[in-house]
Amino acid sequence: MSVFPKISLRLEVENYLKAGFMNKEILSALGKQEAERRFEMLLHNLSHPPSFTTVRVNTHLASVQHVKNLLFDELQKQFNGLSFPVLQHPDLQDVLLIPVIGPRKNIKQQTCEVIVGAQCGSAVLRGAHVYVPGIVSASKFMKGGDDVSVYSDIKGKCKKGAKEFDGTKIFLGNGISELSRKEIFSGLPELKGVGVRMTEPVYLSPSFDNVLPSYLFLQNLPSAVVSHVLDPQPGEKILDLCAAPGGKTTHIAALMHDQGEVIALDKISKKVEKIKQNALLLGLNSIRAFCFDGTKALKLDMVKDTDGEPPFLPESFDRILLDAPCSGMGQRPNMACTWTLKEVMSYQPLQRKLFTVAVELLKPGGMLVYSTCTVTLAENEEQVAWALEAFPGLQLQHQDPQVSTGLHWWLSGEESACQCRKCRFDPWVGKISSRRKSATHLSILDWEIPWIEEPGGLQSMGLQKSWT
């Protein structure tokens, strides 16, 4: 059910997306009216949270059933005895689903208002409280303990510290202020805790702040699917080429039973530290994280290896995950994107550089999984078409597991690349045979399924790299 307006985009960006989603195959199969309806549904659902909160169990430290029982008890405490079902995903046994309740429409709005930034607002819709850094504005006489209504400044027009705001704002629910307006805008950098504790959110979803931190990892469903598709095995050497913040890295290590070696790269040092912290928290010792630019991870000097540190010699890894930097236009909820078309289209060259490095670093018989969190053709289908042409030995390969989430309506014009019908957001994969190196696979995965009420979906295509 739509309670918020559709995602706000620049007209040039919306037209760009529409041109891709209403290609000639779609118009022929559905007709213009139905195709337009589904595209509008996509835009509306992008601005709303998924219907489930998903968490991944750290199976390295505990069984799924044990953690499921602990989580059920924690949620009862959090919601004062209200029973939230904790469901185990039928295909991904280490993933738990908690239904999101909402939208709740009969919430009385308070006189005292707090305005938060769009990013903070999205977190609130996923179950978070309001933290002080996310607060942009508060009513003039707001004191600690006041009942307040929280709104999201989706277009970023509210000035920091404003006493009132009459621009575009979206109601997120009610809460209790932990601090006064004066304290929030005192300028003290150490104020980073909860500013408003949400009591009546429009979407009721559990908060996972410090909930079973060694046993659970908050992770969108398609993100958890990615590591299962990679299918890492104990004793293998795995590369996570763009790894921060480490959710997939730690999942890979857990699936390997922490036996083998997982190399995680990111070019931002603070993010690398976060990967290391997550590995330590989850008790995983097979992960080695390096601050290194993935585009430079291939060692061109063939004289000797670098003692296990980047850059690496060609064909060094059994499996590689390339969770590429992207325009992020598939993440939910997202009520507004202010990017220009140039910015949205700027990621394809970087993705291809990383892709080229990944192919070179992959051993014969290895698996390469490529994933994005966006909905653009240029970063998904067009990358597949390019890869098949640029690397003749790569071939599409079947994806396992296939997580069915409904709507098989996307048909792409890239038939030369895929040689088959595609499901844009459903898990689907075609097969290809090898020419140069055998049994090397690549899967392309889109995160989020914006037009159905599920936490996420994916499109997958495997590429096989054959023996020379």
Side-chain angles (χ1 to χ4, degrees):
M1 178 189 300
S2 292
V3 65
F4 305 131
K6 70 180 183 181
I7 182 174
S8 175
L9 302 169
R10 289 176 181 258
L11 182 60
E12 60 178 356
V13 174
E14 183 168 336
N15 289 338
Y16 168 70
L17 290 177
K18 189 172 184 177
F21 278 78
M22 295 184 63
N23 60 52
K24 62 182 181 180
E25 288 86 357
I26 285 292
L27 294 178
S28 176
L30 299 177
K32 183 178 179 181
Q33 185 175 354
E34 177 63 11
E36 287 182 342
R37 185 189 72 82
R38 295 192 182 192
F39 178 68
E40 287 298 311
M41 194 186 303
L42 161 67
L43 299 184
H44 274 280
N45 280 281
L46 281 172
S47 68
H48 290 68
S51 297
F52 292 90
T53 297
T54 57
V55 291
R56 174 174 57 80
V57 175
N58 178 20
T59 52
H60 176 60
L61 294 184
S63 70
V64 174
Q65 187 59 52
H66 177 63
V67 176
K68 182 179 177 182
N69 293 338
L70 292 176
L71 179 57
F72 182 82
D73 293 340
E74 287 286 336
L75 295 183
Q76 281 204 309
K77 294 175 187 175
Q78 190 174 135
F79 292 102
N80 298 318
L82 178 63
S83 181
F84 264 78
V86 178
L87 312 172
Q88 187 174 5
H89 195 283
D91 299 312
L92 307 174
Q93 297 299 304
D94 57 354
V95 172
L96 300 177
L97 309 173
I98 301 94
V100 174
I101 298 174
R104 303 191 297 167
K105 293 188 173 181
N106 299 320
I107 301 175
K108 182 181 178 181
Q109 298 180 31
Q110 304 295 319
T111 304
C112 194
E113 295 184 0
V114 170
I115 310 297
V116 302
Q119 186 175 359
C120 177
S122 295
V124 169
L125 289 175
R126 297 301 299 268
H129 296 295
V130 176
Y131 285 78
V132 172
I135 297 177
V136 181
S137 165
S139 294
K140 184 175 181 179
F141 300 108
M142 189 184 80
K143 304 182 298 297
D146 283 354
D147 292 324
V148 300
S149 285
V150 178
Y151 298 84
S152 177
D153 170 27
I154 62 172
K155 295 188 176 181
K157 299 296 186 180
C158 184
K159 293 183 179 180
K160 186 77 172 180
K163 296 176 182 177
E164 58 182 25
F165 177 60
D166 295 324
T168 303
K169 56 188 179 184
I170 302 297
F171 178 59
L172 304 177
N174 295 334
I176 299 173
S177 62
E178 296 286 309
L179 301 166
S180 68
R181 171 189 163 80
K182 183 177 180 180
E183 290 171 317
I184 290 172
F185 297 111
S186 65
L188 297 175
E190 62 267 21
L191 282 179
K192 296 180 180 179
V194 174
V196 177
R197 194 165 298 279
M198 297 300 295
T199 55
E200 293 182 291
V202 171
Y203 281 90
L204 186 61
S205 183
S207 171
F208 282 88
D209 185 21
N210 207 33
V211 173
L212 306 175
S214 294
Y215 290 156
L216 290 176
F217 198 96
L218 189 61
Q219 191 169 36
N220 286 332
L221 178 61
S223 299
V225 173
V226 169
S227 300
H228 282 284
V229 173
L230 187 66
D231 193 26
Q233 300 299 310
E236 290 183 331
K237 186 175 182 180
I238 313 290
L239 174 63
D240 190 347
L241 198 54
C242 303
K248 298 180 185 69
T249 307
T250 55
H251 194 188
I252 290 167
L255 290 174
M256 296 169 64
H257 307 296
D258 206 28
Q259 299 173 21
E261 187 176 13
V262 183
I263 302 294
L265 303 185
D266 200 276
K267 64 180 183 180
I268 300 175
S269 58
K270 287 186 178 179
K271 292 185 176 182
V272 174
E273 288 305 311
K274 185 64 176 177
I275 296 171
K276 293 178 179 179
Q277 290 170 13
N278 281 327
L280 182 63
L281 181 64
L282 299 172
L284 297 163
N285 300 310
S286 59
I287 295 170
R288 300 177 65 205
F290 298 96
C291 185
F292 201 85
D293 184 347
T295 63
K296 301 175 182 178
L298 177 65
K299 184 176 175 60
L300 300 176
D301 178 5
M302 301 291 289
V303 177
K304 63 177 182 177
D305 201 349
T306 50
D307 297 324
E309 297 186 1
F312 305 102
L313 294 174
E315 300 182 353
S316 291
F317 295 92
D318 298 290
R319 300 172 197 262
I320 296 176
L321 171 60
L322 173 51
D323 185 38
C326 68
S327 59
M329 298 193 68
Q331 299 187 62
R332 300 172 60 191
N334 184 7
M335 295 186 187
C337 178
T338 60
W339 283 16
T340 64
L341 181 58
K342 182 178 180 180
E343 289 172 313
V344 170
M345 298 179 67
S346 66
Y347 285 90
Q348 192 184 67
L350 173 60
Q351 291 162 354
R352 292 186 178 183
K353 285 182 181 179
L354 291 164
F355 207 135
T356 301
V357 170
V359 171
E360 292 295 327
L361 290 175
L362 197 60
K363 288 182 181 179
M367 167 82 81
L368 170 60
V369 172
Y370 171 82
S371 64
T372 75
C373 58
T374 192
V375 297
T376 70
L377 265 72
E379 297 169 86
N380 293 295
E381 283 85 354
E382 289 182 16
Q383 296 295 52
V384 178
W386 168 80
L388 290 170
E389 183 176 351
F391 308 104
L394 292 181
Q395 299 176 327
L396 285 171
Q397 192 69 17
H398 185 78
Q399 175 195 308
D400 184 34
Q402 288 192 354
V403 180
S404 180
T405 43
L407 296 185
H408 299 258
W409 68 275
W410 174 260
L411 299 172
S412 171
E414 302 291 346
E415 294 298 332
S416 61
C418 298
Q419 302 145 2
C420 53
R421 179 178 181 272
K422 293 182 186 174
C423 297
R424 180 74 170 92
F425 291 94
D426 284 350
W428 176 89
V429 67
K431 274 192 177 179
I432 342 181
S433 55
S434 57
R435 292 183 199 144
R436 243 179 19 197
K437 294 186 181 176
S438 117
T440 299
H441 314 285
L442 170 89
S443 287
I444 307 273
L445 303 124
D446 290 338
W447 297 7
E448 303 306 343
I449 202 155
W451 47 70
I452 67 171
E453 294 189 357
E454 294 297 331
L458 56 97
Q459 168 198 341
S460 296
M461 287 156 280
L463 297 179
Q464 187 174 50
K465 181 182 177 186
S466 32
W467 290 95
T468 304

